[in-house]
Amino acid sequence: QVHLVESGGGLVQPGGSLRLSCAVSGIIFSSYTMGWSRQAPGKQREWVARVFPSGTTNYVDAVKGRFTISRDNAKNTVYLQMNSLKPEDTGVYYCNSYGHPNDWGQGTQVTVSS
């Protein structure tokens, strides 16, 4: 069973930056596509970004050019660098392994507000 621990969230003003981290254990991390999703209050969880074992990345259109997903296989950690944050980026951010779709961490809260 995969264990995921997200961190790095917080309160930031519009235009600011945050770097989220997700420590992963229980799986051969380097073998799996990893992703970030988010859930805004009153809305369904939405996919944000993913990084394949090869390092190839994909993003939802709303974050392209502002967010960067990356992975460190030596540390079993996936990151999400978020720049030029907007109020609509507010939500709880979760990471997940594409090979374990039913396993989620506790998430980390990101609030973008002035």
Side-chain angles (χ1 to χ4, degrees):
Q1 182 178 0
V2 61
H3 187 54
L4 307 140
V5 180
E6 300 93 338
S7 62
L11 172 63
V12 63
Q13 292 186 342
S17 298
L18 284 173
R19 188 194 194 204
L20 306 184
S21 299
C22 175
V24 182
S25 60
I27 60 172
I28 302 174
F29 176 79
S30 60
S31 297
Y32 291 97
T33 298
M34 297 298 300
W36 284 95
S37 301
R38 65 187 179 188
Q39 187 165 19
K43 295 187 177 181
Q44 289 188 331
R45 190 174 299 182
E46 66 169 349
W47 169 74
V48 173
R50 65 184 172 190
V51 56
F52 291 88
S54 64
T56 300
T57 58
N58 297 129
Y59 301 91
V60 67
D61 285 348
V63 308
K64 282 181 180 177
R66 300 189 297 122
F67 290 12
T68 302
I69 188 172
S70 61
R71 64 192 299 156
D72 185 335
N73 290 337
K75 296 182 178 180
N76 285 8
T77 301
V78 59
Y79 304 97
L80 187 67
Q81 177 67 44
M82 306 187 296
N83 299 328
S84 302
L85 282 161
K86 304 176 180 180
E88 51 263 43
D89 295 318
T90 293
V92 180
Y93 283 69
Y94 302 88
C95 70
N96 77 295
S97 162
Y98 275 50
H100 307 82
N102 296 320
D103 294 326
W104 296 88
Q106 83 290 348
T108 186
Q109 175 71 46
V110 171
T111 303
V112 184
S113 175
S114 55

